[in-house]
Amino acid sequence: MKRSCLASTALASVGLMIGDASANGIKLEIGGRFESAAGGTIQVSHNAAADTDDVRDYVFKQDVEVDFLGSVTLDNGLTVGAVVEFEGQTSDDQVSSVYAYFSGRYGELRFGDTAEAYAQLCTLVPSASTLFGADSPEFNFSNAGIAGYAATNGTCYGIDDNSTKLVMFSPVIGGFQFATSFTPDNSEDTRNTLNGAGTRFDNDPDQNSENLSVAASYTQDFNGVSLVIGGGATISFDKEINPGNTEDARGYNAYAQVSVSGLTIGAASELRENLGTGGSDQWVYGAGMTYEFDDLTIGLGWTRGDYEKAVGADGTGPFSAVHDIYSATASYELQSGLYLESMIEYSDYRSHDAAGPDYQGLGFGVGTVIIF
């Protein structure tokens, strides 16, 4: 089971036919996923300004997404479609992603609220689980975020979220694929006017706009050996409200994976520069491996986040710090689209400054993934 493919599986799953516009041949389908987990943490030590003894040791979590998909293939072979991804729980961002696409022999063009090219072609550090792992987990049970900058590390974040943008993908030629995207204003739900401005204001505090993202990947099989390698870059050309004259925010990533006979070994890295008003830099990198025994997949992973001028959730800082995460994961496929997953991980957050916050804790969890 490949972690990077499960989200795509959810989109491709056809759960229920809810409409058929026979006049134009477009069929509307519904799919999605239900993810849930229970877990907790055993705190080893900390010196955070906020008292983590006041934090519960265990928690139940869930994440639900409902996807609406419609498409039609024209007589000339061009496929035109739309995707709307709804959060299945109350959220400040109820519609997580919405875009139209045009796909054919020359590639694909997407327009709407979706991730930048840099993130869409990205591959994480290998993990047996889609819920847990050392790199950008869906659920984590570490309280390191109270002491320091963040509870997790990630190698595919970039500088641009699901803002309204144009994304272009090349066709896959000889295993190579390229993508690029452009975001005029780093905000979602760009409908008509906002505060009277039909073209959006360009004076939002610390907003990275006019973002250009490029990425490339190479995927190939060689007599049973599968190789995935790629990387990208993203840059903002407009840091709005920038009294400190911080340089433009940038991001760079790279990744590689090799799979043979059920064994996958891989590594990933991301460097983010000039973030926030202080212009801090962040470097996250790591490696991992998974092994698949029929329906059971197990994995080991590690990431390190090196954070400059980090400010903790409790307001302490800025301090420079390093965060190591060591994760063991497992996933069992009960049947197609239904998985039982688990993890145990150690989180070690240490400030470079002697007066800065530290945190060490052991996390554990078990969860399910249901694709519908």
Side-chain angles (χ1 to χ4, degrees):
M1 180 184 66
K2 293 185 179 179
R3 184 181 182 199
S4 59
C5 293
L6 194 54
S8 298
T9 302
L11 283 176
S13 299
V14 177
L16 175 67
M17 196 75 69
I18 64 174
D20 186 351
S22 58
N24 53 22
I26 295 178
K27 296 181 179 180
L28 186 63
E29 302 167 351
I30 184 172
R33 66 180 189 273
F34 185 101
E35 300 174 340
S36 59
T41 184
I42 300 173
Q43 185 175 286
V44 177
S45 66
H46 76 90
N47 67 344
D51 191 350
T52 55
D53 292 332
D54 294 333
V55 180
R56 194 178 301 278
D57 294 330
Y58 65 93
V59 67
F60 296 157
K61 297 185 177 183
Q62 62 180 1
D63 184 57
V64 185
E65 185 173 282
V66 180
D67 305 321
F68 295 89
L69 310 91
S71 67
V72 61
T73 300
L74 307 180
D75 293 338
N76 60 8
L78 181 68
T79 298
V80 182
V83 175
V84 183
E85 300 175 0
F86 284 94
E87 294 295 334
Q89 301 157 271
T90 301
S91 171
D92 292 335
D93 186 16
Q94 200 68 56
V95 181
S96 58
S97 181
V98 53
Y99 62 89
Y101 63 91
F102 304 84
S103 178
R105 58 184 299 187
Y106 299 109
E108 181 169 311
L109 175 69
R110 296 182 184 178
F111 180 83
D113 293 357
T114 186
E116 60 187 306
Y118 174 97
Q120 296 210 37
L121 284 190
C122 191
T123 297
L124 301 173
V125 169
S127 172
S129 169
T130 62
L131 300 180
F132 314 117
D135 187 354
S136 308
E138 190 73 28
F139 298 132
N140 79 86
F141 301 98
S142 168
N143 288 322
I146 295 177
Y149 171 74
T152 64
N153 297 324
T155 63
C156 291
Y157 289 145
I159 60 174
D160 191 348
D161 202 358
N162 288 345
S163 50
T164 307
K165 59 174 60 70
L166 187 67
V167 190
M168 292 177 287
F169 297 89
S170 76
V172 178
I173 302 175
F176 287 96
Q177 185 174 34
F178 305 91
T180 184
S181 64
F182 180 71
T183 305
D185 186 273
N186 194 359
S187 61
E188 296 184 42
D189 303 321
T190 306
R191 292 184 289 271
N192 196 0
T193 62
L194 180 64
N195 297 327
T199 58
R200 286 287 196 257
F201 285 96
D202 60 1
N203 60 349
D204 299 294
D206 197 37
Q207 178 171 288
N208 297 312
S209 294
E210 297 183 11
N211 305 327
L212 177 65
S213 176
V214 294
S217 68
Y218 176 72
T219 304
Q220 196 61 265
D221 291 330
F222 303 95
N223 296 322
V225 178
S226 298
L227 173 66
V228 177
I229 187 170
T234 182
I235 183 170
S236 169
F237 293 97
D238 180 19
K239 182 179 285 291
E240 304 179 18
I241 305 296
N242 185 19
N245 293 319
T246 303
E247 294 185 16
D248 294 330
R250 298 186 294 266
Y252 310 94
N253 73 353
Y255 54 87
Q257 287 189 9
V258 177
S259 301
V260 56
S261 300
L263 176 66
T264 297
I265 300 175
S269 177
E270 180 179 38
L271 174 64
R272 301 185 289 268
E273 298 181 326
N274 306 323
L275 301 184
T277 56
S280 62
D281 298 339
Q282 302 175 357
W283 186 23
V284 178
Y285 51 94
M289 61 180 295
T290 63
Y291 190 77
E292 186 174 350
F293 307 85
D294 295 325
D295 296 329
L296 174 66
T297 304
I298 59 173
L300 295 172
W302 160 78
T303 58
R304 166 169 286 190
D306 199 337
Y307 301 102
E308 181 186 44
K309 304 176 186 177
V311 177
D314 59 4
T316 58
F319 299 109
S320 294
V322 63
H323 188 185
D324 286 294
I325 299 174
Y326 307 87
S327 179
T329 55
S331 176
Y332 184 76
E333 185 176 14
L334 300 173
Q335 66 176 48
S336 179
L338 180 59
Y339 303 87
L340 178 64
E341 303 187 344
S342 62
M343 73 86 182
I344 183 170
E345 66 181 26
Y346 182 72
S347 183
D348 184 4
Y349 182 97
R350 298 181 185 272
S351 297
H352 295 318
D353 191 305
D358 293 334
Y359 173 91
Q360 292 80 44
L362 185 68
F364 53 90
V366 60
T368 59
V369 179
I370 302 173
I371 305 299
F372 58 86

